[in-house]
């Protein structure tokens, strides 16, 4: 079983829609969860990270962790064409704080 | 956020030659640096973890003699792809981590071996 699995998409939504991106993870010991955005041929950039469970909000973005179901989500409100990118969830593991990434969901927001 | 500079952004080399990729943390000291490889439309796969002044730890299946990693200072790590072959063509990305649980990524290097 993979440590983290992500809905592969691709996902296409109209501008202004609410986007829901989801991942599941296998090890209940994981505590830190990250969401990265990656534009084509660029390195990933950190959007948000959460520790343990609950919600975290930053502007139009909300990250949510449900530890009981080992489920992490990223919600994007009022989506914009500039949000079109690949979104990667990641878990932080080990004392070296290595990242294990999900497969990524390619999102297209249509104007 | 902190800045990580990766160079070169693109490189084309002949089969059998070696290529060096640099990763620099510009405004913080990176005690740990990570090297990833990404194939088209796939996720990032961790290749190795390096701590300043010590040998890198490679993930299972990654040839350490082929992918040489040096982390000689708190701001610089290098990845050298030795005796490159066309199957080594990929997108290589580094990330650097200082004292926080947050890794900052370079912009990636697209390697094409012809």
């Amino acid at each position: 079983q993979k440590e983290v699995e992500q809905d592969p998409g691709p996902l296409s939504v109209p501008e202004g829609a609410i986007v829901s991106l989801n991942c599941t993870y296998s090890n209940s010991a994981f505590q830190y969860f990250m969401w990265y955005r990656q534009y084509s041929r660029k390195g990933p950039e950190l959007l948000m990270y959460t520790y343990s469970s609950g919600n975290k909000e930053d502007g139009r973005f909300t990250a949510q962790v449900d530890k009981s179901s080992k489920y992490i989500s990223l919600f994007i409100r009022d989506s914009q064409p500039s949000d079109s990118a690949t979104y990667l969830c990641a878990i932080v593991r080990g004392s070296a704080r290595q990242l294990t990434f999900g497969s990524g969901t390619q999102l297209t927001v249509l104007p | 956020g902190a800045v990580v500079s990766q160079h070169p952004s693109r490189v084309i080399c002949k089969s059998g030659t070696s290529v060096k990729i640099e990763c620099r943390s510009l405004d913080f000291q990176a005690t740990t640096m990570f090297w990833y490889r990404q194939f088209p439309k796939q996720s990032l796969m961790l290749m190795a973890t390096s701590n300043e002044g010590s040998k890198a730890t490679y993930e299972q299946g990654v040839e350490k003699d082929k992918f040489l990693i040096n982390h000689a200072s708190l701001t610089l790590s290098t990845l050298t792809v030795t005796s490159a072959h066309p199957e080594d063509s990929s997108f290589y990305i580094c990330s650097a981590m200082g004292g926080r649980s947050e890794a900052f990524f370079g912009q990636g290097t697209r390697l094409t071996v012809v």
Side-chain angles (χ1 to χ4, degrees):
Chain A
Q1 184 182 10
K2 291 184 179 179
E3 288 184 309
V4 58
E5 301 208 47
Q6 184 170 2
D7 292 344
L11 187 60
S12 184
V13 302
E15 183 175 355
I18 297 174
V19 177
S20 173
L21 303 164
N22 306 294
C23 293
T24 57
Y25 61 96
S26 60
N27 191 333
S28 58
F30 295 142
Q31 297 275 26
Y32 283 96
F33 307 93
M34 314 289 222
W35 283 98
Y36 286 85
R37 178 173 61 195
Q38 186 178 26
Y39 292 110
S40 181
R41 301 180 182 180
K42 299 290 185 183
E45 56 177 323
L46 180 66
L47 279 176
M48 299 181 73
Y49 69 90
T50 53
Y51 173 73
S52 192
S53 61
N55 291 2
K56 186 174 183 179
E57 190 173 316
D58 184 2
R60 296 185 295 111
F61 298 88
T62 300
Q64 189 174 79
V65 178
D66 182 344
K67 295 207 79 178
S68 63
S69 58
K70 297 182 209 166
Y71 200 80
I72 56 177
S73 302
L74 179 71
F75 299 96
I76 307 174
R77 291 184 299 279
D78 187 25
S79 57
Q80 303 294 310
S82 58
D83 295 329
S84 298
T86 296
Y87 289 80
L88 298 148
C89 63
I91 54 95
V92 180
R93 60 178 174 89
S95 57
R97 296 174 293 174
Q98 296 159 327
L99 293 174
T100 298
F101 285 89
S103 56
T105 301
Q106 185 175 353
L107 171 67
T108 302
V109 181
L110 302 169
Chain B
V3 178
V4 175
S5 175
Q6 190 172 337
H7 179 80
S9 57
R10 302 185 65 148
V11 58
I12 301 173
C13 71
K14 290 184 177 180
S15 186
T17 62
S18 296
V19 174
K20 181 184 284 188
I21 302 169
E22 291 187 349
C23 181
R24 294 181 183 273
S25 57
L26 298 186
D27 52 1
F28 69 102
Q29 293 186 325
T31 51
T32 306
M33 286 189 172
F34 305 91
W35 287 94
Y36 295 85
R37 182 173 182 175
Q38 186 176 34
F39 290 106
K41 299 191 184 300
Q42 293 188 27
S43 192
L44 286 76
M45 299 300 296
L46 180 66
M47 298 174 67
T49 303
S50 73
N51 293 295
E52 184 265 338
S54 61
K55 290 184 179 180
T57 302
Y58 290 81
E59 295 298 299
Q60 192 172 9
V62 178
E63 298 176 61
K64 60 181 180 181
D65 294 330
K66 181 166 188 61
F67 299 100
L68 300 178
I69 291 172
N70 183 281
H71 191 166
S73 78
L74 285 171
T75 59
L76 173 64
S77 177
T78 60
L79 167 67
T80 302
V81 183
T82 63
S83 187
H85 290 282
E87 57 265 31
D88 298 325
S89 299
S90 189
F91 194 53
Y92 293 87
I93 308 173
C94 70
S95 73
M97 181 181 293
R100 303 163 60 185
S101 295
E102 187 175 335
F104 297 94
F105 284 80
Q107 288 300 294
T109 297
R110 183 161 302 281
L111 170 64
T112 303
V113 184
V114 298

